[in-house]
Amino acid sequence: DTGVSQNPRHKITKRGQNVTFRCDPISEHNRLYWYRQTLGQGPEFLTYFQNEAQLEKSRLLSDRFSAERPKGSFSTLEIQRTEQGDSAMYLCASSFEYGEAFFGQGTRLTVV
Amino acid sequence: GESVGLHLPTLSVQEGDNSIINCAYSNSASDYFIWYKQESGKGPQFIIDIRSNMDKRQGQRVTVLLNKTVKHLSLQIAATQPGDSAVYFCAELLNAGNMLTFGGGTRLMVKP
């Protein structure tokens, strides 16, 4: 296992389109997190899963954002009706229940 | 690659000198802290962690100090090398929650 993998690395989309990002965590990890990072800022928590259960989603930025982890392995983050303000780096991380989170390389979203 | 943290506080040190990066955390209930290193265009990389029942922890060339009285963390890097140039974030985890909260970050620049 080479770590947390995110796809795509870069995504350019037109305003109003829907986008979906994928995260493959470290296989032994039962927790998976999504963060958003804008320039000059630290990562901002969005949501997390323990196995397939989404245990915290109140920090999702709007109802246009949703995440799934249907089988407790990979996860997807979808943004519907994208806006220019959604342009950011979207980071995924995974961990054991109590332990450090390991991050992927992120997906850079640009909304034009 | 893209720059992370264009307007972050910057610490500039000479190669071979020691570096100290500081972080103030917000919640006295936080019981787990992590330092991450983030290079341009990459996701955050785990460096070292510390739990609240400790006040010091050492790794390879890095030491983290925790002062719970004033809610302050520091990361010390010994014999700083050009490869240490990056943005450094501290993150705190609340026992009651499972959300790593990141600080604003410091850019470390190592002069040869």
Side-chain angles (χ1 to χ4, degrees):
Chain A
D1 194 317
T2 57
V4 178
S5 176
Q6 292 188 246
N7 288 287
R9 290 293 310 277
H10 302 275
K11 177 71 177 178
I12 300 174
T13 191
K14 292 183 178 179
R15 190 173 50 187
Q17 297 294 305
N18 299 342
V19 293
T20 301
F21 310 138
R22 177 177 170 126
C23 173
D24 288 271
I26 294 171
S27 56
E28 303 85 8
H29 288 172
N30 57 356
R31 287 203 171 164
L32 186 149
Y33 310 83
W34 284 100
Y35 283 78
R36 185 179 83 151
Q37 186 176 28
T38 53
L39 279 176
Q41 303 296 320
E44 174 187 12
F45 174 84
L46 295 178
T47 187
Y48 93 98
F49 294 84
Q50 179 151 324
N51 301 311
E52 66 274 10
Q54 190 173 12
L55 298 186
E56 174 60 65
K57 56 182 179 180
S58 66
R59 301 298 182 109
L60 286 168
L61 299 165
S62 79
D63 59 7
R64 297 184 296 106
F65 287 71
S66 62
E68 293 183 345
R69 194 184 184 197
K71 298 182 180 179
S73 56
F74 74 92
S75 176
T76 57
L77 177 70
E78 182 181 17
I79 309 173
Q80 295 182 326
R81 305 181 302 282
T82 51
E83 302 173 356
Q84 286 189 320
D86 297 331
S87 296
M89 176 78 83
Y90 291 85
L91 293 163
C92 175
S94 69
S95 73
F96 292 113
E97 187 163 343
Y98 296 106
E100 64 268 27
F102 292 89
F103 282 81
Q105 301 284 48
T107 294
R108 164 62 56 186
L109 173 66
T110 302
V111 182
V112 297
Chain B
E2 177 183 314
S3 286
V4 173
L6 294 176
H7 305 291
L8 291 172
T10 298
L11 174 65
S12 185
V13 300
Q14 202 71 37
E15 181 179 357
D17 287 351
N18 297 336
S19 302
I20 300 176
I21 300 171
N22 296 304
C23 174
Y25 64 93
S26 56
N27 195 320
S28 56
S30 296
D31 67 347
Y32 180 54
F33 304 89
I34 305 176
W35 279 100
Y36 285 92
K37 171 186 180 182
Q38 189 171 26
E39 296 173 288
S40 182
K42 297 184 177 179
Q45 176 187 0
F46 172 87
I47 301 174
I48 191 167
D49 59 357
I50 188 167
R51 298 201 179 270
S52 60
N53 60 352
M54 303 172 69
D55 53 19
K56 179 179 181 179
R57 189 163 189 227
Q58 288 185 292
Q60 187 177 13
R61 283 202 306 118
V62 294
T63 301
V64 55
L65 299 177
L66 173 62
N67 185 330
K68 294 182 287 294
T69 303
V70 294
K71 294 189 288 187
H72 183 268
L73 272 173
S74 68
L75 176 70
Q76 301 178 1
I77 304 174
T80 314
Q81 302 170 359
D84 296 326
S85 294
V87 177
Y88 290 80
F89 293 99
C90 67
E92 61 184 295
L93 183 68
L94 277 64
N95 185 42
N98 297 282
M99 172 180 74
L100 266 179
T101 301
F102 283 78
T106 298
R107 176 184 298 281
L108 176 65
M109 298 178 64
V110 182
K111 297 177 288 186

